[in-house]
Coordinates of all heavy atoms in Angstrom, one line a residue:
P339 N 66.3 -13.5 139.0 CA 65.0 -14.2 139.2 C 64.0 -13.6 138.3 O 62.9 -13.1 138.8 CB 64.7 -14.0 140.7 CG 65.4 -12.8 141.1 CD 66.7 -12.7 140.2
V340 N 64.2 -13.5 137.0 CA 63.3 -12.8 136.1 C 61.9 -13.6 136.1 O 60.9 -12.9 136.0 CB 63.9 -12.7 134.7 CG1 64.2 -14.0 134.1 CG2 63.0 -11.8 133.8
K341 N 62.0 -14.9 136.1 CA 60.7 -15.7 136.1 C 60.1 -15.7 137.5 O 58.9 -15.4 137.6 CB 61.0 -17.1 135.7 CG 59.8 -18.0 135.6 CD 60.1 -19.4 135.2 CE 58.9 -20.3 135.2 NZ 59.2 -21.7 134.7
E342 N 60.9 -15.9 138.5 CA 60.4 -16.0 139.9 C 59.9 -14.7 140.5 O 59.1 -14.7 141.4 CB 61.5 -16.7 140.8 CG 61.9 -18.1 140.3 CD 62.9 -18.1 139.2 OE1 63.3 -17.0 138.8 OE2 63.3 -19.2 138.7
D343 N 60.5 -13.6 140.1 CA 60.1 -12.3 140.7 C 59.4 -11.4 139.7 O 58.2 -11.1 139.9 CB 61.4 -11.6 141.1 CG 61.1 -10.3 141.9 OD1 60.0 -10.0 142.1 OD2 62.1 -9.6 142.2
W344 N 60.1 -11.0 138.6 CA 59.5 -10.1 137.7 C 58.2 -10.6 137.0 O 57.1 -10.0 137.1 CB 60.5 -9.7 136.6 CG 59.9 -8.7 135.6 CD1 59.6 -7.4 135.8 CD2 59.5 -9.0 134.2 NE1 59.0 -6.9 134.6 CE2 59.0 -7.9 133.7 CE3 59.5 -10.2 133.5 CZ2 58.5 -7.8 132.4 CZ3 59.0 -10.1 132.2 CH2 58.5 -9.0 131.6
L345 N 58.3 -11.8 136.4 CA 57.1 -12.4 135.8 C 56.0 -12.7 136.8 O 54.8 -12.5 136.5 CB 57.5 -13.6 135.0 CG 56.4 -14.2 134.1 CD1 56.0 -13.2 133.0 CD2 56.9 -15.5 133.4
K346 N 56.4 -13.3 137.9 CA 55.4 -13.7 138.9 C 54.6 -12.6 139.4 O 53.4 -12.7 139.8 CB 56.1 -14.4 140.0 CG 55.2 -15.0 141.1 CD 56.0 -15.7 142.2 CE 55.1 -16.2 143.3 NZ 55.8 -16.9 144.4
N347 N 55.2 -11.4 139.5 CA 54.6 -10.2 140.0 C 53.9 -9.4 138.9 O 53.4 -8.2 139.2 CB 55.6 -9.3 140.8 CG 56.0 -10.0 142.1 OD1 55.1 -10.4 142.9 ND2 57.3 -10.1 142.4
S348 N 53.8 -9.9 137.7 CA 53.0 -9.3 136.7 C 51.5 -9.7 136.8 O 51.3 -10.8 137.3 CB 53.6 -9.6 135.3 OG 54.9 -9.2 135.2
N349 N 50.6 -8.9 136.2 CA 49.2 -9.4 136.3 C 49.0 -10.6 135.3 O 49.8 -10.8 134.4 CB 48.3 -8.2 135.9 CG 48.4 -7.7 134.5 OD1 48.2 -8.5 133.6 ND2 48.7 -6.4 134.4
S350 N 48.0 -11.3 135.5 CA 47.8 -12.6 134.8 C 47.7 -12.4 133.3 O 48.2 -13.2 132.5 CB 46.5 -13.3 135.3 OG 45.4 -12.4 135.2
A351 N 47.1 -11.3 132.8 CA 47.0 -11.1 131.4 C 48.3 -10.8 130.8 O 48.7 -11.3 129.7 CB 46.0 -9.9 131.1
D352 N 49.2 -10.0 131.5 CA 50.5 -9.8 131.0 C 51.4 -11.1 131.0 O 52.1 -11.3 130.1 CB 51.2 -8.7 131.9 CG 50.8 -7.3 131.6 OD1 50.0 -7.1 130.6 OD2 51.1 -6.4 132.3
V353 N 51.2 -11.9 132.1 CA 52.0 -13.1 132.1 C 51.6 -14.0 130.9 O 52.5 -14.5 130.3 CB 51.7 -13.9 133.4 CG1 52.2 -15.3 133.4 CG2 52.2 -13.1 134.6
Q354 N 50.4 -14.1 130.6 CA 49.9 -14.9 129.5 C 50.5 -14.4 128.2 O 51.0 -15.2 127.3 CB 48.4 -15.0 129.4 CG 47.9 -15.9 128.4 CD 46.4 -16.0 128.4 OE1 45.7 -15.2 129.0 NE2 45.8 -17.0 127.7
E355 N 50.5 -13.1 128.0 CA 51.0 -12.5 126.8 C 52.5 -12.6 126.7 O 53.1 -13.0 125.6 CB 50.6 -11.1 126.6 CG 51.0 -10.4 125.3 CD 50.4 -9.1 125.1 OE1 50.6 -8.1 125.9 OE2 49.6 -8.9 124.2
I356 N 53.2 -12.4 127.8 CA 54.7 -12.5 127.8 C 55.2 -13.9 127.5 O 56.1 -14.1 126.7 CB 55.3 -12.0 129.1 CG1 55.0 -10.5 129.3 CG2 56.8 -12.3 129.2 CD1 55.3 -10.0 130.7
V357 N 54.5 -14.9 128.1 CA 54.9 -16.3 127.9 C 54.7 -16.6 126.4 O 55.5 -17.3 125.8 CB 54.1 -17.2 128.8 CG1 54.3 -18.6 128.4 CG2 54.5 -17.0 130.3

Side-chain angles (χ1 to χ4, degrees):
V340 61
K341 180 179 179 181
E342 298 81 2
D343 184 4
W344 177 74
L345 187 62
K346 183 179 179 180
N347 289 311
S348 302
N349 65 58
S350 57
D352 282 352
V353 170
Q354 186 175 14
E355 185 169 63
I356 292 167
V357 170

